[in-house]
Amino acid sequence: MPRELTQNRIQKIWVPTKDDKPAPRRAACAPHFANPPTVIVMVVFNVGEYRREAVKNYSSYDFFKPDNESAVKIRQQCALAALRDVKSYLKEEGGQVAVFDATNTTRERRDMILQFGSENGFKIFFIESVCDDPSVIASNIMEVKVSCPDYRDCNKNAAMLDFQRRIECYKTSYQPLDPNQYDRDLSFIKVIDVGRRFLVNRIQDHIQSKIVYYLMNIHVQPRTIYLCRHGESTDNVEGRLGGDAGLSPRGKQFSAALARFVEEQQQKDLKIWCSQLCRSIETAEHLGVPYEQWKALNEIDAGMCEEMTYDEMKEKFPEEFALRDEDKYYYRYPAGESYQDLVQRVEPVIMDLERQENVLVICHQAVMRCLLAYFLDKKEMPYLKCPLHTVLKLTPVAYGCKVESISLNVEAVNTHRDRPEEMKKGPGTLIRRNSVTPLTSPESNIKKPRIDDLDESPIQELPPSVASMALCSPSHLPITLAGQNLRRNSSGLRDVLQPCQ
Amino acid sequence: MALRINAEQKKLTQTPLLKIWVPWMGYNLNRRRGSSVPQFCNSPTMIVMVGLPARGKTYISKKLTHYLNWIGVPTKMFNVGQYRREAVKIYKNFEFFKPDNEEAMRIRKACAAAALKDVAAYFSKEQGQVAVFDATNTTRERREIILNYANERGYKVFFVESICDDPEIIAENIKQVKFGSPDYVGRDIDEAMEDFTQRIDCYRASYMPIDDEKDRRLSYIKIFDVGSRYLVNRVLDHIQSRIVYYLMNIHVTPRSIYLSRHGESELNLLGRIGGDSGLSPRGQKYASALAAFIRGQNIRELKVWTSHMKRTIQTAEALGVQYEQWKALNEIDAGVCEELTYEEIQQNLPEEFALRDQDKYRYRYPKGESYEDLVHRLEPVIMELERQENVLVICHQAVFRCLLAYFLDKPADELPYLRCPLHTVLKLTPIAYGCEVESFYLNIEAVNTHRERPVSLLSLQNVNVNRKPEDALQTVPDHI
């Protein structure tokens, strides 16, 4: 007898009313991409955040000398502590992928990780970054290492020198992955010379294939991404959702202002992307230059609520209205979409944005929130403030993204709805995330290492700004993490985007 | 530079068929600034295969060509072997390929040159964007010629080299595709195998693989042992990146893909399109029959995929096994026409109905989708289907057509008219360069939901927006 189905009220997903086979569930509401869980192991020069927790004051590169026995012991302990946390994340916290970020430059260390993976039923995928170009390395060191907490009391040159010596300490024991003999059965990608060349070995499954594709699309060329919404539309003025209306007079003013702004910015080879909805195209038209339309950039489909005002929606669909406030990220409009659906839909745009250089994306409120959340690694996607007539200028720097918010000084209605006071925070947006694009890193991803053997006094909590910096990714990959804490020369910085609460 | 935009240009109008907003410039779309789709490649690209015979070059070329055309990039394959077969009508034996056979060498060079000329014509006269140049191209000299040809004309070049020394794989390749080749038709199998092996040896002596040092400025991918390893160098643009991703996802492990629609739904019975209704009693029967059929097929590690719509999920439920829901497999969105019958569409939106018949592939329902949109939406599904082995996909009519068109390489204008009746399972098994199709009707009656292409003996008359209602409704199948 076929089981009865009900449609889950928030996500509008059809599920069996009574799931007599609770684990493993028969119906997965999205394709399973990382099953069993995967550990991605970085093979690259780096310094561990765990080590910084254990050894509060970094004195010099001597710590990294291969013959410094007590240091070697500490470093080993840190690796083990991190692996314990990986295990807990993947087994108990519902995580699907753990990125193990350390140097892992010796076979011995990697064999230990492989053993760990095999004991726990985790797949292991290595990412090795190989670069011998001295100018690239020097510039990486300047960009991210000298301002690292280890060097907070040093001047730039001293830091540079010490770090180069640190690299030397690793060089003698460095055993790169060997695709021809020793490591030929492992799954890995070698990224050579900052993405000029890749060696890919034994991709096992979808998630590894997607990771390889992603790594092959990102780059480190300096560039700028501009995000803005279409000019105010006639529907906006009436407070209506969705639809396909044209610009209001103020919207047209904004478009003209945008054209002037683009000219002033003088960006080389700026690409203009917009959606296929009238208001976004009308805005693009005003720029007087070629543009490309992406259907994937269309606003979130409000289904049966299209073209209603929020009041009308509340009146006609009071239950839906309440459900949306309960969990705005997963909530799917009846016969429409959710933010979660939007993320999947927008993924090819993100992938192409990674490949591009200077781009201006003219889109819509929900879509812009998706894109912004991706670049700034934000959790509160459905509540990010993306007002009309404001351009966000994103410039990747170091490990994050500098954001400038530039209002073009043309009045518009406010279309933003804050999370209602009476609503508690919805269920965690991390677990059961079945989306294709990697979303936020866990807020509390700075795990306190449990290094039981060491006689250290209780570990102090790192201030957030330092903590986010400490999560060093391989220096050639500008993985965007929360960038709002980066303090740089403020000249030219107008105001920094504030996420709303 | 001052931007002078006159009021006329700023006004937008929506093209009736594609529902794309364009500036009112008298419909002169060629002067339009905005492109209605993202631009994947600016200059024409030549994909140049490299490798000894029986390394899967033609297999890769064909698949890549199908894929690129399906996603909307006009692509054509140029197989130099074909040119040789035209020039030298009868193939005698491997001696033709001996490096010291001067006359043959001349012919082979001429064939390559002819193929290159045709590539140029494809780009300049037929608006092609990608040309797949399928030949051994095993010497540096030959590759130089191609590179020069391309550089002179501003074409990008991306090499795909297939390297394989596993004798089992090679023997299997030869069996699968060479014995059926026109060169060996009617020959004894052992004789053919012997001849082909000697043929490969002719190339081997002069084979110079792409050199990672000397050729480090070129853009290429090396595929080792049918995908166990890849070396990728200097991917220049979006299309090359997509090609690499695709090549890294395809495989040759034997498997079958089963395609089926959901069981007959309540809305199907009423002749209504779209919606999210449940199965009719006959639909339920089909679901059970499908379960029995699948069990009978004894498929190893079958994955089952459905859409997010109730009718496909109910169908999957009857199988009693794990299944995964993909929103991307949802039926085409008929926008304002959702849940209408064709008669109602004709009555309320006769112009729309006529436009749909004019160009069913590109026609977009008002506030809905077109088949073309559907193909873009399905691309990740196709990519994952390529990665997978045995899969049963339970989906919907329009989606089914798109998937089928991909596997059987059907062109866009045929796609919307492919026959995908309810209660019938199609089993697709890749063989040689194509796909074997077996159709299983599970003997449960269902309504017919297929609309034929309107017969246009009187040319445009039956798709004209001013056609008579009776003419418009000729193609609509019966229902309650």
Side-chain angles (χ1 to χ4, degrees), chain A residues 257-268:
Chain A
L258 184 64
R260 287 191 294 275
F261 171 77
V262 164
E263 233 196 294
E264 280 166 30
Q265 290 286 299
Q266 301 229 311
Q267 289 289 4
K268 182 175 83 86

Side-chain angles (χ1 to χ4, degrees), chain B residues 258-262 286 290 315 392-396 400 423-426:
Chain B
Y258 296 81
L259 297 181
S260 162
R261 288 169 67 186
H262 51 83
Y286 172 71
L290 182 63
T315 310
L392 163 65
V393 183
I394 303 172
C395 55
H396 306 265
F400 195 115
H423 299 187
T424 305
V425 185
L426 284 192

Side-chain angles (χ1 to χ4, degrees), chain B residues 267-297:
Chain B
L267 284 182
N268 285 144
L269 276 177
L270 299 172
R272 295 187 175 282
I273 63 173
D276 193 13
S277 62
L279 298 180
S280 69
R282 295 195 299 198
Q284 292 281 8
K285 282 217 193 91
Y286 172 71
S288 310
L290 182 63
F293 170 78
I294 292 292
R295 274 193 299 272
Q297 288 278 303

Side-chain angles (χ1 to χ4, degrees), chain A residues 35-274:
Chain A
N35 194 8
T38 302
V39 182
I40 298 171
V41 183
M42 305 302 302
V43 183
V44 70
F45 290 140
N46 199 358
V47 181
E49 178 273 330
Y50 284 76
R51 185 265 308 159
R52 263 188 289 277
E53 289 275 355
V55 179
K56 245 113 28 66
N57 293 307
Y58 173 75
S59 58
S60 80
Y61 76 95
D62 286 319
F63 185 84
F64 292 95
K65 280 171 123 167
D67 54 6
N68 182 341
E69 279 187 26
S70 64
V72 164
K73 191 163 173 255
I74 292 175
R75 290 158 68 196
Q76 171 86 338
Q77 300 284 16
C78 291
L80 290 172
L83 284 179
R84 274 200 296 275
D85 286 348
V86 162
K87 179 173 173 179
S88 142
Y89 177 67
L90 295 178
K91 288 212 145 151
E92 288 145 38
E93 296 168 51
Q96 287 189 340
V97 178
V99 181
F100 191 70
D101 182 16
T103 51
N104 300 316
T105 42
T106 60
R107 284 187 182 159
E108 186 194 347
R109 173 59 59 82
R110 297 196 292 266
D111 285 343
M112 178 187 77
I113 297 168
L114 283 164
Q115 170 82 346
F116 164 81
S118 148
E119 280 165 3
N120 291 290
F122 301 150
K123 283 186 181 167
I124 306 282
F125 183 73
F126 291 95
I127 300 179
E128 179 172 29
S129 174
V130 176
C131 181
D132 290 320
D133 183 338
S135 60
V136 172
I137 295 179
S139 110
N140 279 347
I141 297 175
M142 280 311 267
E143 274 248 352
V144 298
K145 297 301 180 185
V146 297
S147 38
C148 192
D150 289 344
Y151 296 110
R152 61 179 161 251
D153 299 323
C154 297
N155 75 51
K156 284 209 176 100
N157 289 326
M160 172 72 96
L161 203 57
D162 185 273
F163 198 82
Q164 279 168 337
R165 293 209 176 113
R166 207 149 108 175
I167 294 177
E168 292 301 316
C169 293
Y170 282 90
K171 264 200 176 141
T172 43
S173 59
Y174 179 27
Q175 291 163 301
L177 288 173
D178 173 19
N180 295 315
Q181 284 296 350
Y182 195 82
D183 301 305
R184 68 171 177 277
D185 291 329
L186 299 185
S187 297
F188 64 83
I189 178 171
K190 258 191 211 258
V191 180
I192 300 159
D193 288 337
V194 203
R196 187 131 306 157
R197 177 181 294 188
F198 301 91
L199 183 81
V200 180
N201 202 59
R202 293 196 189 272
I203 301 178
Q204 291 174 50
D205 59 18
H206 176 105
I207 195 72
Q208 291 179 16
S209 159
K210 225 35 208 284
I211 288 163
V212 164
Y213 182 44
Y214 183 72
L215 292 177
M216 294 193 342
N217 280 321
I218 60 183
H219 68 79
V220 293
Q221 301 312 310
R223 50 86 167 250
T224 307
I225 296 171
Y226 298 87
L227 299 180
C228 73
R229 289 167 67 186
H230 52 83
E232 183 192 69
S233 72
T234 51
D235 272 349
N236 286 144
V237 170
E238 290 173 39
R240 298 192 173 285
L241 297 175
D244 196 9
L247 298 180
S248 68
R250 295 195 298 198
K252 291 182 184 158
Q253 269 184 312
F254 165 74
S255 307
L258 184 64
R260 287 191 294 275
F261 171 77
V262 164
E263 233 196 294
E264 280 166 30
Q265 290 286 299
Q266 301 229 311
Q267 289 289 4
K268 182 175 83 86
D269 293 337
L270 179 70
K271 287 229 169 121
I272 316 269
W273 291 358
C274 61

Side-chain angles (χ1 to χ4, degrees), chain A residues 3 179 202 206 276 307, chain B residues 228-229 317 364 367 384:
Chain A
R3 297 184 292 184
R202 293 196 189 272
H206 176 105
Q276 285 191 356
E307 299 190 64
Chain B
S228 124
R229 184 191 305 176
E317 276 285 318
R364 188 184 275 171
K367 306 210 170 154
E384 190 56 19

Side-chain angles (χ1 to χ4, degrees), chain A residues 168 276 300 317 331 341 369 375 377 456 493:
Chain A
E168 292 301 316
Q276 285 191 356
I300 192 171
F317 301 107
Y331 171 82
D341 295 328
R369 285 170 170 158
F375 285 107
D377 196 34
E456 293 282 341
L493 195 74

